[in-house]
Amino acid sequence: MKLKNGAEYIESLKKLHPVIYYKGKKIEDVTRHPATSPHVRAAAMTYALASDKNLEDLATATSHITGRKISRFTHVHQNVEDLIKKVKLLRVLGQKTGTCFQRCVGLDGINATYSVLHEMDQKHDTDYLERFKKWLTTIQDENRMVVGAMTDPKGDRSKAPVDQPDPDQYVHIVERRNDGIVIRGAKLHMTGAVNSHEILVMPTVAMDERSRDYAVVCAIPVDAPGVTMIFGRQASDYRRDMKESIDVGKPSFGAVGGEAVIVFEDVFVPKERVFMDGQTDFTGDLVYRFAAHHRANYGACKTGLMDVLIGAVSYLTQIQGTAKASHVRDKVTEMIHLSETLFSSSIACSAEGWATPSGAYMVDTMLANVCKQNVTRLHFEVARLALDLAGGFIATLPSQYDLESEDVGQLVKKYFSGVEGIPTEERVKLARMIEAMTGGTALVESMHGAGSPQAQRIMIFREGELGKKIKLAKALLGIPQKNIRKEVN
Amino acid sequence: MKLKNGAEYIESLKKLHPVIYYKGKKIEDVTRHPATSPHVRAAAMTYALASDKNLEDLATATSHITGRKISRFTHVHQNVEDLIKKVKLLRVLGQKTGTCFQRCVGLDGINATYSVLHEMDQKHDTDYLERFKKWLTTIQDENRMVVGAMTDPKGDRSKAPVDQPDPDQYVHIVERRNDGIVIRGAKLHMTGAVNSHEILVMPTVAMDERSRDYAVVCAIPVDAPGVTMIFGRQASDYRRDMKESIDVGKPSFGAVGGEAVIVFEDVFVPKERVFMDGQTDFTGDLVYRFAAHHRANYGACKTGLMDVLIGAVSYLTQIQGTAKASHVRDKVTEMIHLSETLFSSSIACSAEGWATPSGAYMVDTMLANVCKQNVTRLHFEVARLALDLAGGFIATLPSQYDLESEDVGQLVKKYFSGVEGIPTEERVKLARMIEAMTGGTALVESMHGAGSPQAQRIMIFREGELGKKIKLAKALLGIPQKNIRKEVN
Amino acid sequence: MKLKNGAEYIESLKKLHPVIYYKGKKIEDVTRHPATSPHVRAAAMTYALASDKNLEDLATATSHITGRKISRFTHVHQNVEDLIKKVKLLRVLGQKTGTCFQRCVGLDGINATYSVLHEMDQKHDTDYLERFKKWLTTIQDENRMVVGAMTDPKGDRSKAPVDQPDPDQYVHIVERRNDGIVIRGAKLHMTGAVNSHEILVMPTVAMDERSRDYAVVCAIPVDAPGVTMIFGRQASDYRRDMKESIDVGKPSFGAVGGEAVIVFEDVFVPKERVFMDGQTDFTGDLVYRFAAHHRANYGACKTGLMDVLIGAVSYLTQIQGTAKASHVRDKVTEMIHLSETLFSSSIACSAEGWATPSGAYMVDTMLANVCKQNVTRLHFEVARLALDLAGGFIATLPSQYDLESEDVGQLVKKYFSGVEGIPTEERVKLARMIEAMTGGTALVESMHGAGSPQAQRIMIFREGELGKKIKLAKALLGIPQKNIRKEVN
Amino acid sequence: MKLKNGAEYIESLKKLHPVIYYKGKKIEDVTRHPATSPHVRAAAMTYALASDKNLEDLATATSHITGRKISRFTHVHQNVEDLIKKVKLLRVLGQKTGTCFQRCVGLDGINATYSVLHEMDQKHDTDYLERFKKWLTTIQDENRMVVGAMTDPKGDRSKAPVDQPDPDQYVHIVERRNDGIVIRGAKLHMTGAVNSHEILVMPTVAMDERSRDYAVVCAIPVDAPGVTMIFGRQASDYRRDMKESIDVGKPSFGAVGGEAVIVFEDVFVPKERVFMDGQTDFTGDLVYRFAAHHRANYGACKTGLMDVLIGAVSYLTQIQGTAKASHVRDKVTEMIHLSETLFSSSIACSAEGWATPSGAYMVDTMLANVCKQNVTRLHFEVARLALDLAGGFIATLPSQYDLESEDVGQLVKKYFSGVEGIPTEERVKLARMIEAMTGGTALVESMHGAGSPQAQRIMIFREGELGKKIKLAKALLGIPQKNIRKEVN
């Protein structure tokens, strides 16, 4: 691994020159700009753990291509143990950052692409996987951060890509040259994009023959000509931009991963970086595998965040003198129960992993979708309980300027104190972290990241094997099996 | 009514000189400062409706003291019809502002105090109600806005007021003079405080004899000497302070009511404005009645907000081309169902209102508590559904600076467009309003305003008449009635 | 009122000779047969209360036709007060029987038919309402029990009535004579049918012109030639049929209302008893009004049942020594909260009642549907909490034969005892009542009675005024109102 | 394995002579009595699968004591794979029986006892594990069915065992002899007891020194002198006792496992069958380990049941013509989602299994408790959805006597038909199975089996590592770690 720790990662970013806009202006250095540096620090933690003696077993792996030690975030899972170590790593990172550390989206893109290319090459007699392996070897050896770029803008969602009034609402090939392709379009909600090294472009829906130009997978450096990023807003983002130390919530890290729009304005991609070009028959598998891997992760990283949130709330109730109340304990219990329910599914879909023909391991699709579906519900409930226990001052607390004011600082300290012996500042810091972790942006990310709730339901129904279940019922009742009707499947 | 419309109300505020801090600095004019003016405008709507021909039947009433036409927000409810008109008025105001308009807290304080003073005078042979009526007549005639001030800081919540290490954690009388009293302490979460004319101080818990100095009710002008307010932070408050027109969510109104800490540093209150002094035996009733009235309201005003939110989400799904999907319709149906469930309880506890000995009408305590308890749950669920339908861009949308940027504005417009024919700006505005209405501060207010969830549960258990219910079960089983045991009651 | 109390009602049933089958055999006397007599007793309670001095204000009304005192169960609601008294009466009856007392279905049929016939006569220049009033006067004067018969078998539910392979899957007119009509078909789930005096047949769906023969409303004596009833099974029905005194649950009353299939095999109905014949344009309104009235009731009668259940569970926890545990109190609180949430909607939709052109009062349709929708969810949750608190012995308790056995009776008494001083029999009786009230049949009735959950959702969406809500959102955002699109409405 | 298949198991039961009462009478042959034979058949399925070529990998294991092939239900788990195979076996058995097959309770008792005795022997320098291994070897070799007997009656639950007015409310040693002990007391809710070969008695709570006589583990043949069993009632049990073929629900199997009270009236247990005598310091671990193993199972076997239920409901909606409706598909999706959520936790707590000092593998305690906690909620929700989709006739359907009646059979067949081509009997059978699987007894078993909901919450709080979580929060906020207060732990 070329990049061995957080500092080296941060240094590497300084050498890139991506075009990034935020609030109408260019960001010149993502490692220093207050809007992006918290996210850089969170991603840096993925580099730091790889050299942490206690955690390197989780944080690193052995490349099945080169045999060299690599970051687990660049690894193609080779067995169930790999899958389980990965989700445990995600929980630890969630605990250490209290937020999204962004690298799993590239990891999932790599894994989905790897296994699908193998099958695609078999069917179409192509050699895309070899190209991909070459690119991947560099990623592994240099420990480059990759943003998996899937979600297109979609325009009018009642229409397919080729039926959109604006053909660019899905990324597509606008020109094919001997040495490569030219693509146009955009990807939305790109977590970690501004502080990645590379973009792995993938299609976002299963496509039919009409959409050949839209069936494209390729890798692009973040600062390739024609790539423009626009960094999105978050709740209370000014507090961060104003460099407030307390009211920002977490002093070092952000509330979410830091999302950006990536626009491709006729970006040239050389042949060796093109991994799919027109094979619409494999777009579905690519999307479903990426989605399954990504959904599997949410039950682990979010549980890590909830560990932090539960800790914060528990300590706050101690300060407020309510920790022993039976309803407080019961709500804390419920928060733990819900978070561990999520973790269960992450572990389970990993333990039930299976080998694709390529040798790469997939998680169990049903359980991975179940995992994410629960995240879209239970994170809200955990947040609701946290806010219940924390109290109304989460919404009414004066700012840190008032806390530090010569005029009214003493009043704030006096009237927001709790049990004797703990400074009001600790109570305020906890409140601000809870505010940040339960506010809008954080919850929307849990809702829509890795696919909106309805996307999981479609998969759960599809994987539900209703025909088999009907057979079980009939068998128990002695009803002949012949009449399995088509309606349900 | 002296103040007949919004403009006169706003003008009246300019004549006051309250001491208000925000982000470490003084606010000189609440009607112009970006942090407070949205809340002023929402309160102004309560004045505006009183002169709206279509709504004045809801918005005004006839004083039972003077027979004059007054704002319903200064009225002592005289019958069930009054209670029902009130909650309908609240829903309309919620629909017109999409936020808290703050005046019900004073209204509820007035009503609770009125009925309790009557009973207190009867028992203690005092004449506090007459004093109160004089003060109230002025409030009614001048249409003054009153902030009902109940919630104390509470310090270490495992300790009673008199057992706190710091005696000021609950407002108390520090001196009794011939011409009045001097009070010290603070009230937290004071909705509408900075743009009210008067503060009606009330105790926040039922007290015993030891707490005589804490059993105090009195009225204080907001700019009385010794009164200091500190205005609290809200999620994304800088967007408002920076006068962003779109990203702020709603161009004219805020996300919540605008809460402040009110600190009383040895404030003198003249005798004619003191309405309780030491009658600890009536603190419980005062708190419970205020709470019941206030909890009754939440099912109405929040339903008004949800009407707006449901409309915003519905229109957004039209723009995005998803409005006809069955799961979208089902989620919209659920949002309506949940919001009307809340409204049911507001109507029901009003329809079941009852006359106190004073003639003032109370809502049904059980149903009012049930109402608020449901708000603490269902508002989160409605918000969750709204965010589900709105989509992930609520968390990742670039700022309005980017939307309006010469460099990237066209990209934002292109890639955040929806169905043909509707400008991207409309989609963005809807997204920002949904973001504001579902974000942290708005939900925390629904959770803790009018009392935290556990406070309602205590009342629901207490009002649950378990003894009577046990009798019903025994009667059906032919079990003798003698053994009603004490444990449950 | 001819029938003045329960005894007279029971006596009146003995004079009828309906054809009723149960478990393959005829029931000769519904007042004595163990399968039907519990339901007779529950219905008799509606007669008994009319002569109860404390309750007659709820249980009786003054006929707007004759001015005579009548049972409220035969009354056409004349104002909001009538609607509210009705739901309070239902709750009291639920408390006194712990089950369904069946008479509201006829009451709702009468009220829906009355108001619709008025409008139908206006449009079609007919005089059906006069016919109906004559019939109704007899019903009122004699205090006859009427079963409102709406639900048809429906066969293949993906097909309309006229498209069914079997035309009899919906009740229809097979012959029109000068002196009347002949009908064929069946009605399912007919609560109280076997112990009613009359059947009021109504259509079950909104129909179009093709279905003229299916648009029929008429009244038929339960023992008219061609009418056959088949009484349905219930969970644990043998315990009742075997006349077990304890294990049956409630010694006098059943778990539900007692449902039957009513089959009409070419039943002749004389002209004066036919109230609709082919007016398909009014079938929709009839169904919706009946449904709204009926749905409004569920929040009241079921709350009465829950009062009993909560009492039973509370007393049981006292016997088991767990009543003081904080989680027990919290679950009891939740049961109360949920049941009062249901009651809220019953009260609210009544308080928001409105006069139809006929003068008959309707409940608020939205809130009535919201009420029933909540019943379909919250009754299950209340049952779940009851079973949680009651304990596992609800599923494993030996029979009363063992309790009373010479061989093992002492063992049962010893090992199912609770706190000292309360006989084990009391604990067992409570357990059996809880078992009956939370078992399958009781919950299915709450789910599907007055329309399945999806039926309410369709109405909630339809009544949700999305167009108006979108206008509210646009107004707050300053978006022009022109583009209300048709998709949502 | 001596007993190689279901027939041999059934034969073996005929040779035993346990004293069993049911409805006041003795059951002479459990394999033929209608109340017990369905449960015998379900247990027989555990024997049958061991000789099923496709399933023997799941259904059998290799004894770590003898190296011989044994039933997995007598195996001490030696690794994670064992744990995972076990839960998969449970799901398959649930699918094949649609009910409880009873053998896991003995399996869990064996595993908990095994690992605890190892540690107990280490500390107390005893040799109980050797005794236990000898007994276990016979169990394994003969493939005997063991009922794990833990739950005592508990009497007044606010009192400890030794403080009960009746000392027999917990099983205890009443006499110690040279050759063994004599015990007295009872165990409730004993699943599979009447058709087991042996009883493994264990204490039901953690005990202190005062309770030495209550700290007893021992094995007793079901027909040992002094053992009396009383078989409990179930919902609709007469249908089974009357040998109804359709209305019973499932023709071959019961709704639950078949529970009995086991009373020990001074039962002598020879020394070699006593595995704990007075070691109160290990009662806690024994209870917690047994409970964790048992709770882990519920997410697997119940998922098997739900597979059947989902299949039954899906087929029923096909027959009723509603299978394609979007709300039907959505509810089926939800049922699948909830059931797979349960399965996730069973898999996860197995995948996270760990080796005790004895070498026996334990499931992860936290996740096992989370698993069961979810069962207590989600099974009700799945049942509610099933009843929603099935329709109201689950509660009102005439009996099979009517279906088969010469008089009304044709009417039942006509009016309960669905889409063309499927006999009404199939619809009726499905309805009866759904009725049985969602009725009271089945749900109570899911609620209280393996411990009531509150028991899991206590464990979840205890295992929640709040101290560690607080440290995480503090670390992120830069708050010194010193002040971890004791309240929370």
Side-chain angles (χ1 to χ4, degrees), chain C residues 380-425:
Chain C
F380 276 77
E381 182 63 6
V382 168
R384 195 180 71 84
L385 291 165
L387 292 172
D388 181 344
L389 293 177
F393 83 133
I394 300 294
T396 68
L397 186 61
S399 71
Q400 72 174 93
Y401 305 108
D402 299 304
L403 180 73
E404 296 159 352
S405 152
E406 285 193 12
D407 291 338
V408 293
Q410 286 313 309
L411 295 178
V412 175
K413 279 171 196 155
K414 176 181 175 75
Y415 287 118
F416 287 93
S417 66
V419 296
E420 283 189 284
I422 299 185
T424 297
E425 281 83 353

Side-chain angles (χ1 to χ4, degrees), chain B residues 14-225:
Chain B
K14 289 184 189 293
K15 295 175 190 151
L16 303 177
H17 301 289
V19 178
I20 305 168
Y21 282 86
Y22 174 61
K23 288 189 184 164
K25 292 180 192 157
K26 275 198 183 174
I27 289 181
E28 296 298 342
D29 181 351
V30 292
T31 70
R32 288 173 179 274
H33 192 286
T36 51
S37 58
H39 308 299
V40 171
R41 281 190 290 270
M45 189 67 86
T46 68
Y47 287 89
L49 292 199
S51 52
D52 179 327
K53 284 294 165 215
N54 295 319
L55 293 167
E56 69 176 338
D57 178 52
L58 293 183
T60 62
T62 301
S63 170
H64 76 292
I65 304 174
T66 64
R68 291 192 281 270
K69 182 176 167 185
I70 57 174
S71 164
R72 188 169 294 283
F73 285 106
T74 63
H75 184 49
V76 176
H77 315 297
Q78 296 298 307
N79 47 49
V80 160
E81 201 184 2
D82 271 349
L83 292 169
I84 288 184
K85 281 184 178 171
K86 180 203 59 175
V87 293
K88 289 188 174 176
L89 172 62
L90 301 183
R91 183 165 182 174
V92 170
L93 279 161
Q95 291 174 335
K96 285 186 175 295
T97 61
T99 190
C100 173
F101 34 88
Q102 315 145 35
R103 278 189 89 188
C104 65
V105 63
L107 170 64
D108 300 330
I110 287 168
N111 273 273
T113 302
Y114 187 95
S115 71
V116 167
L117 292 190
H118 175 91
E119 292 159 50
M120 191 173 93
D121 283 349
Q122 297 286 320
K123 178 171 173 194
H124 291 295
D125 200 19
T126 47
D127 64 347
Y128 284 107
L129 183 56
E130 281 313 303
R131 278 193 207 175
F132 186 73
K133 277 185 177 172
K134 273 183 207 151
W135 172 78
L136 179 57
T137 300
T138 309
I139 297 295
Q140 290 183 338
D141 286 348
E142 300 192 4
N143 197 5
R144 288 167 76 80
M145 177 164 165
V146 177
V147 52
M150 187 166 269
T151 312
D152 292 282
K154 299 199 189 84
D156 181 344
R157 282 153 197 245
S158 65
K159 293 188 166 66
V162 293
D163 299 324
Q164 296 285 332
D166 173 1
D168 304 341
Q169 292 296 325
Y170 290 75
V171 169
H172 60 125
I173 299 170
V174 291
E175 190 185 346
R176 285 183 178 84
R177 299 185 195 161
N178 282 344
D179 55 347
I181 59 173
V182 177
I183 66 168
R184 192 186 297 156
K187 295 288 184 179
L188 303 188
H189 324 307
M190 291 294 103
T191 302
V194 298
N195 49 306
S196 288
H197 303 99
E198 301 233 6
I199 306 161
L200 179 60
V201 173
M202 296 169 285
T204 197
V205 287
M207 292 166 180
D208 62 16
E209 293 259 320
R210 295 189 304 151
S211 302
R212 278 196 66 245
D213 294 345
Y214 292 83
V216 57
V217 178
C218 59
I220 300 169
V222 292
D223 53 0

